Amino acid sequence: MSRELFSERVPFSAWPNPAVPAVAAGVYAIWKGDELIYCGMSGREIDAKASAQPKKYGLVTRLASHWSGRLSGDQFCVYVANRFVIPSLTPEEMPLFASGELNLDARTRRFIHTHLDYAYALVQTSAEAYALERSARRGEIFGRKPFLNPLE
């Protein structure tokens, strides 16, 4: 397996991406400049879902979830908030969260749109996606492990 399976990098600010199929299993890598920060997959049980003909399922819905910046139900967004957004807050901004003038989801979304790109690889089955994701997280695809979710 190699990095040639992956698309060119696309900034999250350019979402939605019409090149990402509405129903597909896939693996994605998220970058902050030259730093690989996260690798993930989507499309578990894609074979069963495809027969039910969902409108959207798999890679497109996962990338859309990450694009949204919403922490609820999205572990990637939680990682981004905890490791990048919260440490960058100034003491003057902290009280603005208590008053509701600032929102962590909005700050996370802005960070994602401003600083992060993704590349993706389409696969046929969820088993292929799982294997490719694990290989990427071990550093075998890009020559480095992702900052937020590496595997030994």
Side-chain angles (χ1 to χ4, degrees):
M1 293 186 258
S2 70
R3 73 177 79 192
E4 287 78 32
L5 296 171
F6 286 79
S7 70
E8 294 293 319
R9 292 185 200 173
V10 179
F12 270 103
S13 62
W15 189 262
N17 181 349
V20 179
V23 178
V27 176
Y28 56 91
I30 298 178
W31 300 83
K32 180 179 181 277
D34 291 333
E35 182 181 16
L36 177 64
I37 65 164
Y38 190 86
C39 294
M41 66 153 291
S42 188
R44 295 191 199 287
E45 302 176 11
I46 192 76
D47 303 323
K49 299 284 184 184
S51 64
Q53 296 186 3
K55 188 173 182 179
K56 289 185 178 183
Y57 180 75
L59 189 60
V60 71
T61 55
R62 181 64 50 84
L63 290 172
S65 178
H66 295 345
W67 170 86
S68 77
R70 293 191 66 225
L71 279 65
S72 177
D74 192 306
Q75 188 62 48
F76 168 74
C77 291
V78 171
Y79 287 152
V80 169
N82 287 341
R83 302 295 294 276
F84 296 107
V85 177
I86 293 171
S88 73
L89 296 174
T90 65
E92 295 79 26
E93 290 174 314
M94 296 305 284
L96 300 177
F97 281 97
S99 70
E101 292 177 63
L102 284 182
N103 174 292
L104 192 54
D105 285 355
R107 288 300 288 267
T108 302
R109 178 173 46 254
R110 183 169 52 180
F111 182 90
I112 291 167
H113 294 186
T114 303
H115 299 286
L116 304 184
D117 302 324
Y118 64 92
Y120 64 92
L122 301 175
V123 296
Q124 296 299 310
T125 66
S126 57
E128 288 177 84
Y130 183 71
L132 183 57
E133 179 211 25
R134 292 186 65 75
S135 183
R137 290 177 62 193
R138 284 192 299 264
E140 298 165 1
I141 302 297
F142 299 104
R144 64 190 94 173
K145 295 178 182 182
F147 173 66
L148 296 174
N149 67 337
L151 285 178
E152 295 304 316

